[in-house]
Amino acid sequence: MKNLNEGIILVSGGLDSTTLCYLFIQKKIDFVPLIINYGQHCFEKELQSLKDVLPKAYLDKLQVINISDIYRFSTSAFIKPANLWEDNITADDLYIPYRNVLILTAAASFARTLNYNFVYSAFINSNHAKEIDCSSEFFNNLESLLSEYGSVKIEMPFRNYSKFDVAKLGIEIGAPIGKTFSCQASQHIPCGACPNCVDRLEALKRIKDEL
């Protein structure tokens, strides 16, 4: 893992970003947590999870950006909550066009207003992610673009990690991963079937099996 510098960490109240925050805390590197409301139906749950997992010193620094109007006409099940009792939700139903482009460029723009040169994202190498803008090629191209036309560098310390790797690290450094929320399909209770939930359950099962 590369050396870490002070900057903004994109947070969501999920396992990955929470672990990244606690990694910074362990290394005594200051950061500003930033959560972006892009219209995801679980935003309030994500925000509450953040309040449950972040130490008060960092919760006081929490910044919120609301860009939810961009996806107000989206039919994605990540924006418009589905009826999980009746609807057969697939990964394709959860797709949001250009979501990661939007989040990362918004964060980079915001970072410059705070005179930070680094934005950290806890995106991982997921076997279940279907989005084009979740690929390593995409992230490499976006990093090059932002660094070439500006001073902000996007860093993804967990890019080559699996969910298992991140969960294991989180446990080792004392991150409260049991309080995190990572579901894409449900607003309140993890559905257990969306890509995020599947990754999480498989990782925790593997950790349990290795104990």
Side-chain angles (χ1 to χ4, degrees):
M1 186 179 296
K2 296 180 180 178
N3 293 331
L4 302 173
N5 301 277
E6 291 185 1
I8 284 177
I9 297 181
L10 280 164
V11 292
S12 66
L15 187 155
D16 304 326
S17 62
T18 298
T19 297
L20 185 57
C21 287
Y22 275 78
L23 180 63
F24 271 67
I25 293 170
Q26 182 199 54
K27 293 181 177 293
K28 296 181 170 55
I29 302 172
D30 198 21
F31 64 91
V32 171
L34 170 65
I35 184 171
I36 297 181
N37 177 2
Y38 51 87
Q40 66 271 44
H41 56 64
C42 53
F43 174 74
E44 292 301 327
K45 178 64 176 180
E46 291 181 346
L47 186 59
Q48 183 57 54
S49 295
L50 268 176
K51 294 177 179 179
D52 292 338
V53 300
L54 283 180
K56 187 176 186 304
Y58 290 94
L59 190 57
D60 289 344
K61 298 180 181 181
L62 178 63
Q63 299 294 316
V64 180
I65 292 179
N66 188 341
I67 52 175
S68 58
D69 280 349
I70 291 177
Y71 292 120
R72 66 182 180 273
F73 299 122
S74 173
T75 58
S76 168
F78 206 167
I79 302 296
K80 307 293 184 184
N83 182 340
L84 297 181
W85 293 104
E86 298 178 3
D87 299 335
N88 182 23
I89 302 300
T90 67
D92 291 337
D93 296 320
L94 297 165
Y95 174 67
I96 305 174
Y98 304 114
R99 181 186 69 146
N100 291 335
V101 176
L102 179 65
I103 290 174
L104 291 170
T105 52
S109 300
F110 188 68
R112 288 308 304 136
T113 70
L114 299 180
N115 294 317
Y116 281 120
N117 292 321
F118 292 90
V119 170
Y120 294 90
S121 166
F123 286 127
I124 66 166
N125 182 20
S126 170
N127 291 325
H128 301 101
K130 302 296 184 182
E131 296 92 337
I132 294 173
D133 56 353
C134 272
S135 68
S136 292
E137 181 181 6
F138 163 79
F139 287 134
N140 287 335
N141 290 336
L142 183 62
E143 283 181 358
S144 297
L145 177 66
L146 291 176
S147 61
E148 183 176 351
Y149 292 98
S151 58
V152 175
K153 185 166 180 57
I154 304 295
E155 294 283 1
M156 301 178 187
F158 299 156
R159 179 192 299 182
N160 296 318
Y161 283 39
S162 66
K163 183 72 74 171
F164 167 76
D165 296 326
V166 176
K168 185 176 180 180
L169 174 62
I171 292 172
E172 290 172 352
I173 63 178
I177 63 174
K179 296 180 180 179
T180 60
F181 180 83
S182 304
C183 186
Q184 296 168 289
S186 172
Q187 291 176 279
H188 307 293
I189 301 173
C191 71
C194 72
N196 279 4
C197 282
V198 170
D199 275 339
R200 179 189 179 103
L201 290 171
E202 289 181 353
L204 295 179
K205 181 180 184 300
R206 182 177 168 189
I207 289 174
K208 180 182 177 182
D209 291 343
E210 293 188 1
L211 290 178

